[in-house]
Amino acid sequence: MSKSVTILGATGSIGTSALDLIERDPGGFTVSAVTAAGNVAALAAIARRTKARLAVIADDRLLPELTERLAGSDCSAAAGDQALSEAASGEADLVIAAIVGCAGLKPAMAAVEAGRTVALANKEALVTAGVLMTEAASRASATILPIDSEHNAIFQCISGARLEDISRIILTASGGPFRTASAAAIRSATPRQAVAHPNWSMGAKISVDSATMMNKGLELIEAHYLFGLPSERIDIVVHPQSVVHSLVEFIDGSVLAQLGAPDMRIPIAFALAWPKRMATPAERLDLAALARLDFEAPDSERFPALRLARSALEAGGAAPTVLNAANEVAVERFLAGAIGFPDIARIVEDSLGRDNSPAPQSIDDVIAIDQATRQRAAGLIEESCS
Ligand code: NDP
């Protein structure tokens, strides 16, 4: 029987990879709903091609254009935040949550609250609302399958294990495009240099996060919520080849790792086929040709985002939400050429230092903290530019 799949963020890098796999196996999958922010032409083309029943554009000014582009098809058009959440919670065997940033939180939460199986790429949702989302998942008996390659690797390695038998998890980090750059070169890094990731082809925001290593910081927090381990039992090691996607150490000293080519279609396929497996066109590993795998300790002097994320995780409460919101604003301003590369970590640090919000008790609290932090971060940026 075929599996019905909803793709939130269908026009993005993860959405495109998921569609690539789904369209290679027309008997295995049907597409239920697809969503995008503003890329209306691409969304309508995907909806027509996949025969989706619903297409939702976040920007409601684009609803007339979407409706027009879907005319004559069996696909309904909708727009706006409420429609996104309705698409997320609608009937589907699997919901792929691949919207970028905190914008993906409400739709991802709607899918979780509806008890869906959620393939989660949108790490910002778990970072900003980890407690609320994992509690909602257990209340609604929803399953969260991590798509992030590191967390997917850990998920695979701990399958069947008892939590008390795990001594630590080790997240691997490629080190990003500035792994070997001097502190001076990093200070003057441009957006074009920052998005040129050595191993992975990804959206702009996560590419900058990889360059600052905030991506690994967000993943540290994501791992805490997904696997229930405290900060001191989650380590980070730099592994430039991105072949070992992460490791788990057990109390007897055994270490299990998941390896594969750096191709997001592998973890996405894992989530699509779960609990089975499916074939992918991803390159196979040739270990003899690879010859070596390198590992090194991360450098939180050149990459202060690592230290900031760990302290936000340890502080708990509103801190991870503040960290994420300030980072989103700073990355956006960096990509627009308004601030320099080191300003990203500085804005995040200042935002964390100035916040005294209580721990969020609801998604509305999370959104309020997110909005207040965005305003404060924008003010900090304006101050530093004037
Ligand atoms: P992209 O920027 O390539 O795509 C983002 C998607 O989200 C697009 O479909 C975009 O629509 C949509 N979107 C953006 N803003 C909004 C909004 N405000 N409301 C509704 N939809 C919105 O991102 P990626 O695919 O790279 O990343 C998606 C998520 O997956 C991120 O959280 C990232 O951290 C995570 N991830 C990505 C990996 C990768 O390899 N790319 C690896 C691991 C995790 P539109 O096209 O219309 O703008």
Side-chain angles (χ1 to χ4, degrees), residues 156-177:
Q156 295 194 40
C157 293
I158 64 172
S159 165
R162 300 180 313 161
L163 190 60
E164 59 267 39
D165 290 342
I166 297 168
S167 50
R168 63 182 176 131
I169 56 186
I170 306 160
L171 295 172
T172 53
S174 69

Side-chain angles (χ1 to χ4, degrees), residues 213 236-238 296-300 303 306:
M213 292 197 73
I236 294 171
V237 68
V238 174
E296 61 198 44
D299 176 357
S300 54
F303 301 102
L306 284 173

